[in-house]
Amino acid sequence: FWHAVPPLCETVGVPTCSAISSVGVFLLMNALYNYTKAIFTPAGLPPPFEKAQLELMELSEKQITPRQCSKCKLLKPPRAHHCSVCGVCVMKMDHHCPWLNNCVGIANYRYFFLFLFFLAQACLFIDVVLGIFFYDIIFTFGRRGTRSFRNYIMMSFMICASIFAALCLLGGFHFYLILTNQTTIEFQINMVRRRQCRRNGEFFRNPYDMGRTRNCQEVFGPNSLWGLKWMFPYLAA
C-alpha cells in the first residue's frame, strides 16, 4: 500500500491521500486488536467437576448428576466439547484454529469473527485503492512508476482479492452460524438430525435458536446491530 501512496497523492492530493491512509490504518489496527484478543483470550473452560457438583447439590433439592468429561475430568455442560489439541473441554466450542493456536469458543468467538470481518474490510480497502493502478498496468499501455512498483501493485492486488474471496465464504458461513446460534460442530450434527427428521416426517428446530437479534447479542453483547457498536468490543459491552 505504501508504494501506492506517492502516486496516489499526485492523483487525489495530499489531504485526501492522508484521509485514505487513515482509513487503512484504522482497519489494520482493528484487525490486529481482534486477532490478538482471539489468541490470548481463553476460549472458555468449564469449572472443575467437584465444585460444580457441590453447587448443584446446594441449589437443587433433587439429586442431579452432571456430566463429567472422561478425558480432562472437567464438568461437561451442554454444547461443550473436548479439544484433543488443547487437552481440555471448551464451552460452546466451535473449532480449534491453528492460525490462532487456540480454540474458538464462547469467550473468544466474538474476537475471531471480528478479526475475519476487519481483515476482509482491509483486503477490500487495498483492492479499491490499488484498483486504478492495477487497471492501468493490466489493461492500458501506460507504464506508471518503476518495474518494482508495478510488481508490488499486481502482487498486492491479487493476494488481497484472493484473501477477500476466501474470507467472504468463511465469514459468511460464520455469520450464518451466529444468526442461527450454532457452532461449526453443531452445524454438522444438526445436518444429520435434520435429515433424520425429514425422513421421519418431522420438523427439526435448533433448540438453541432464540431469534436472530438475541442470537447476535449472545455473541456481540447487548448492543443494537444497527448501532454498529458491536464491531468495536473495546467500546461496547
Side-chain angles (χ1 to χ4, degrees), residues 208-220:
Y208 303 111
D209 189 358
M210 303 179 293
R212 294 177 181 176
T213 300
R214 285 193 289 176
N215 290 342
C216 291
Q217 289 177 343
E218 183 177 297
V219 176
F220 299 115

Side-chain angles (χ1 to χ4, degrees), residues 48-58 63-66 75:
F49 179 76
E50 292 77 11
K51 179 181 178 182
Q53 192 174 29
L54 289 175
E55 290 180 354
L56 283 174
M57 291 175 62
E58 293 175 358
Q63 185 69 23
I64 300 176
T65 304
L75 178 71

Side-chain angles (χ1 to χ4, degrees), residues 2-162:
W2 300 114
H3 287 275
V5 169
L8 186 64
C9 289
E10 295 177 4
T11 306
V12 299
V14 175
T16 305
C17 184
S18 300
I20 294 174
S21 300
S22 299
V23 173
V25 172
F26 170 77
L27 295 174
L28 176 62
M29 290 298 103
N30 276 278
L32 291 176
Y33 171 83
N34 286 287
Y35 181 62
T36 304
K37 292 288 286 185
I39 291 175
F40 293 106
T41 301
L45 302 181
F49 179 76
E50 292 77 11
K51 179 181 178 182
Q53 192 174 29
L54 289 175
E55 290 180 354
L56 283 174
M57 291 175 62
E58 293 175 358
L59 294 175
S60 177
E61 297 178 356
K62 298 180 180 180
Q63 185 69 23
I64 300 176
T65 304
R67 287 197 309 163
Q68 182 181 26
C69 179
S70 59
K71 298 177 181 178
C72 64
K73 305 305 179 183
L74 293 174
L75 178 71
K76 194 170 185 179
R79 310 188 81 178
H81 296 274
H82 184 84
C83 175
S84 58
V85 180
C86 297
V88 292
C89 280
V90 177
M91 298 176 64
K92 199 182 175 184
M93 178 180 174
D94 189 85
H95 66 286
H96 182 89
C97 182
W99 310 112
L100 302 178
N101 193 28
N102 192 11
C103 275
V104 177
I106 190 171
N108 64 346
Y109 185 71
R110 176 186 192 177
Y111 301 116
F112 168 76
F113 179 81
L114 289 176
F115 165 65
L116 297 181
F117 176 78
F118 279 107
L119 184 60
Q121 297 302 312
C123 290
L124 179 62
F125 169 81
I126 293 295
D127 282 341
V128 170
V129 172
L130 302 185
I132 183 172
F133 304 114
F134 183 82
Y135 182 86
D136 288 342
I137 294 170
I138 298 296
F139 298 105
T140 69
F141 294 102
R143 287 293 181 264
R144 181 186 302 185
T146 62
R147 184 183 185 89
S148 61
F149 166 79
R150 294 192 295 270
N151 289 337
Y152 287 137
I153 295 297
M154 293 176 62
M155 183 175 64
S156 300
F157 184 91
M158 290 187 290
I159 289 176
C160 288
S162 302

